[in-house]
Amino acid sequence: MRNALLLLAAIMSLHSFAQNREINSTGLYIHTDKHIYMPAEKIWFTGYLLNIQATDTLPYHTLFVTLINENTHKPVLYERFAFDRAVCKGMLELPDSLPAGDYALVGYTNNYIIDSHEQEFQQWISIRKPNQPSYKIKKTPTDSPRSTIAKIPDAGLKINLTTDSATYNKRSVINCKIELTDTAGKAIQGLFSVTCVCERRLRRQDHWDICHYYYIDQYKLPGQIDLSTAQQELNPVSGFVTKGSKKVKKPIPLLLMKNNEMITLKTNKDGIFGLNSYQLISNPGQPDVILSIVKGNQSEFKINFLNDIERINHQLAQVNYTYALADMEDSTIFTREEMEIHPVPAPKTAAAKAKLPPHGQEPGYVKKVKPVYQPPEFRIASDTSAIPDYNTTLYWNYLINTDKEGHASFSFRSDDLPGVFVCVVQGVSTMGVFSKRLQFVVK
């Protein structure tokens, strides 16, 4: 990973991604593993800051991602992730109760308020269920008034993506290679994220990708929301300390405890504090972080949390993002195997709500804080499990770097789902952004 990040710094120093800075300062782009999901599936993604040069990455520590229900205009899912030198790994787990429909996946950084030129990123994803009434799904349009005057230039970059076969059996090993060169055959270094996914879960003829976004779509106007009452910098956790019901007038010492680590902090003179992703980062499965006041008579003080991110997410949910409609019937989205294992759902009956015992009230001077978790690595199909595996995403990798010769390789295994699959590569190089697709068949 360290070598990949050093390469990223070199790429961002050599290539002037900042040419669009006056229009969209960050150029935030999110590459997801597919476009169409079922409830309880995972959205795997990588976030890129395409307009940030290597020397400017330090102020960007957090990516905030929210999923917005287009019908209710309400956020249904929200999470935060840590940037590492302009690249962010992320995973959202969709609730199994999520209604079918179109959702806006929206992302923004911790500098969304400070930087008036930063635009939020948005793309449409669809949640579908087999054997239910179909509808026209929404997608981010590739044709817009701007695309008639702005074209994706020929960067002179050649991407050679290959597999070791065009056809595979179920639970077979699939070996892929990629080579980046210029038109003269000179090696080009690059970084990319890659998904290999069932073609049915990609919208048909959808050519909206990192190249289209970088050269055309990042110029669109951002959502008009009122950020005037939020803190100047957005943090995963922010708040203020009071003494009784009164404001404090000098810095208050704090102690942040996570795993076996203790971090000493201080509020500002008005008692305000913010915890960034680097301070809250933790591995999945670790307990909550503990934040405590460590001054004199602790019981005189109280930690109060702010809800800036929640308010911003609700305001973003009111934005009417542009879309184009696409007709996709169940027969084009779900395989026969999926239709069989997901029968028509029976009507739900209201479950009795259990009465939970009241929790003991925690003292005001100590609070539990949710960590910023490192997303897990993608699990590829097993060749030994007797349980049928019909995962429509065969492979996901957040970040792969080429060697000095412009070469990279990756391998994975097909599962029990037959059909046409597509490898989609999107990334950045010393010659600019790039993307490539390649199909193969599983019998």
Side-chain angles (χ1 to χ4, degrees), residues 12 129 144 304 374 386 394 423:
M12 300 184 77
K129 300 178 181 180
S144 63
N304 308 272
Q374 296 265 26
L394 297 182
C423 277

Side-chain angles (χ1 to χ4, degrees), residues 210-240:
I210 193 170
C211 298
H212 195 284
Y213 172 78
Y214 180 69
Y215 290 108
I216 297 175
D217 271 357
Q218 70 164 313
Y219 292 88
K220 66 186 179 184
L221 293 176
Q224 300 299 309
I225 65 174
D226 179 16
L227 305 174
S228 58
T229 59
Q231 295 292 304
Q232 283 301 296
E233 182 181 14
L234 298 174
N235 284 290
V237 175
S238 60
F240 59 96

